């Protein structure tokens, strides 16, 4: 099975520290929000870097390792430590509207829950920020007001405290790992690894495939009742454990991001690798 080969490739890459470990991912990040120890937003730092695309040079977001991000299609679901301005600041290009306020509340609850027992300077700063930040007063913050259009453009933001990305703080990383542990009692046989694991209901998206949506596409997906079997919805039709799902999608996205391992043939995107 191609998924088994991709999982093996992921494990080889992980052994060389070329890909993120479970619970983490690589994401494009445009700005860092600088917090002081009291959780006050004291600055914004652009993380965009010059990048040549074709004959043009543009400013592109930096790739950073961040906590595993969710696959969102609709509804409200907050990511931890890396998200857009609607979630981390409660604002959109139009201001602090009701939809953005609900997203901020979801992010606030998520961060306070994950960091409940974390007491490092970085963890406390983030908790204090969410406890004190008022989206309706965002324009009163000089740093945010000066870069309003850029900050609210929909790109990812992260936090920094004392010059360090919060996601690199060991106490914060431990808190996230503990929160992200698979403690489900509903263990089934994964068809990829042959081991007991919680089955992934949906799979992470794969980006860089010709003809797919720019937001990414799913390699394993059942999105209509006509594809269901024995009343098993979504990806329960093809029982892949959470670990195998993370591994194969991480490996495939890594391959697709490397020009040396991908090419197109007509309307087909082809990736290749060796053991």
């Amino acid at each position: 099975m191609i998924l088994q080969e991709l999982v093996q490739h992921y494990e080889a890459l992980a052994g060389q520290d070329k890909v993120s470990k479970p619970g983490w991912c690589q994401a494009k990040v445009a700005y860092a929000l600088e917090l002081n120890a009291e959780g006050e937003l004291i600055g914004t730092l652009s993380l965009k870097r010059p990048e040549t695309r074709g004959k043009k040079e543009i400013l592109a977001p930096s790739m950073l390792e961040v906590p595993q991000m969710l696959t969102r299609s609709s509804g409200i679901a907050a990511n931890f430590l890396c998200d857009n301005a609607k979630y981390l600041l409660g604002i959109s290009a139009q201001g602090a509207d009701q939809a953005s306020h609900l997203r901020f509340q979801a992010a606030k609850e998520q961060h306070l829950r994950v960091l409940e027992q974390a007491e490092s300077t970085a963890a406390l700063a983030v908790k204090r920020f969410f406890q004190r930040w008022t989206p309706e007063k965002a324009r009163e913050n000089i740093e945010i007001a000066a870069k309003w259009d850029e900050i609210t453009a929909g790109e990812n933001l992260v936090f920094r405290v004392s010059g360090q990305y919060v996601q690199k703080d060991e106490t914060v990383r431990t808190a996230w790992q503990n929160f992200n542990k698979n403690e489900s009692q509903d263990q089934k046989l994964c068809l990829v690894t042959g081991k007991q694991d919680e089955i992934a209901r949906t799979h992470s998206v794969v980006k860089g495939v010709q003809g797919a949506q720019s937001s990414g596409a799913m390699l394993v997906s059942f999105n209509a009742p006509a594809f269901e079997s024995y009343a098993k919805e979504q990806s329960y039709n093809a029982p892949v454990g959470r670990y195998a799902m993370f591994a194969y999608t991480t490996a495939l996205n890594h391959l697709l991001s490397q020009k040396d391992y991908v090419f197109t043939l007509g309307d087909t995107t082809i990736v290749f690798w060796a053991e």
Side-chain angles (χ1 to χ4, degrees):
M1 288 174 61
I2 190 66
L3 298 190
Q4 290 174 323
E5 297 295 334
L6 284 168
V7 170
Q8 290 178 12
H9 187 53
Y10 164 80
E11 291 172 345
L13 292 170
Q16 302 171 51
D17 292 325
K18 291 184 177 180
V19 290
S20 299
K21 299 296 192 295
W24 302 86
C25 71
Q26 296 289 320
K28 295 179 179 179
V29 183
Y31 283 89
L33 304 176
E34 298 271 7
L35 306 180
N36 63 19
E38 299 304 314
E40 297 170 326
L41 201 161
I42 58 174
T44 57
L45 175 67
S46 174
L47 301 180
K48 294 188 176 183
R49 301 289 181 264
E51 182 178 296
T52 300
R53 292 185 182 176
K55 297 182 179 180
K56 295 183 179 179
E57 186 172 270
I58 64 169
L59 288 176
S62 296
M63 292 295 293
L64 298 181
E65 183 181 60
V66 300
Q68 183 67 47
M69 301 182 74
L70 302 169
T71 300
R72 289 194 297 238
S73 56
S74 61
I76 296 175
N79 288 307
F80 182 59
L81 295 180
C82 180
D83 218 320
N84 59 49
K86 292 179 180 179
Y87 283 92
L88 297 191
L89 296 170
I91 58 175
S92 64
Q94 292 71 39
D97 53 38
Q98 180 64 20
S100 297
H101 179 76
L102 292 175
R103 285 168 171 75
F104 176 76
Q105 285 300 122
K108 177 179 179 179
E109 293 171 6
Q110 168 83 328
H111 284 77
L112 294 181
R113 183 166 60 248
V114 175
L115 298 173
E116 182 178 5
Q117 304 299 325
E119 296 295 326
S120 67
T121 299
L124 290 172
V126 171
K127 288 193 286 186
R128 289 166 179 162
F129 167 78
F130 278 104
Q131 291 166 339
R132 298 176 179 180
W133 179 257
T134 305
E136 290 75 18
K137 296 182 179 180
R139 289 189 186 274
E140 296 178 12
N141 185 285
I142 297 175
E143 292 291 333
I144 296 299
K147 299 177 181 177
W148 187 275
D149 291 341
E150 294 92 338
I151 294 293
T152 60
E155 296 178 295
N156 288 323
L157 316 173
V158 294
F159 294 108
R160 278 174 38 126
V161 176
S162 300
Q164 182 188 48
Y165 293 117
V166 172
Q167 70 267 22
K168 290 188 175 182
D169 181 83
E170 285 304 320
T171 299
V172 172
R173 294 179 72 87
T174 299
W176 172 245
Q177 290 295 114
N178 291 337
F179 179 81
N180 204 46
K181 280 181 180 177
N182 180 10
E183 298 178 348
S184 172
Q185 300 302 311
D186 187 20
Q187 303 281 309
K188 303 292 184 183
L189 184 68
C190 170
L191 293 187
V192 177
T193 65
K195 298 178 181 179
Q196 294 290 318
D197 195 2
E198 180 184 356
I199 302 305
R201 183 177 63 85
T202 58
H203 290 210
S204 298
V205 296
V206 174
K207 297 184 178 182
V209 177
Q210 186 179 208
Q213 296 181 2
S214 59
S215 59
M218 293 184 184
L219 188 60
V220 178
S221 176
F222 303 82
N223 62 353
F227 308 133
E228 295 173 8
S229 177
Y230 295 97
K232 295 184 182 298
E233 300 178 347
Q234 296 182 302
S235 293
Y236 289 146
N237 277 280
V240 176
R242 288 180 61 189
Y243 169 75
M245 184 277 291
F246 171 82
Y248 93 74
T249 54
T250 299
L252 188 50
N253 276 315
H254 175 80
L255 288 166
L256 287 164
S257 70
Q258 308 294 312
K259 293 182 180 179
D260 292 340
Y261 304 113
V262 60
F263 68 94
T264 57
L265 182 63
D267 61 355
T268 301
T269 301
I270 298 174
V271 294
F272 57 93
W273 67 97
E275 291 184 357

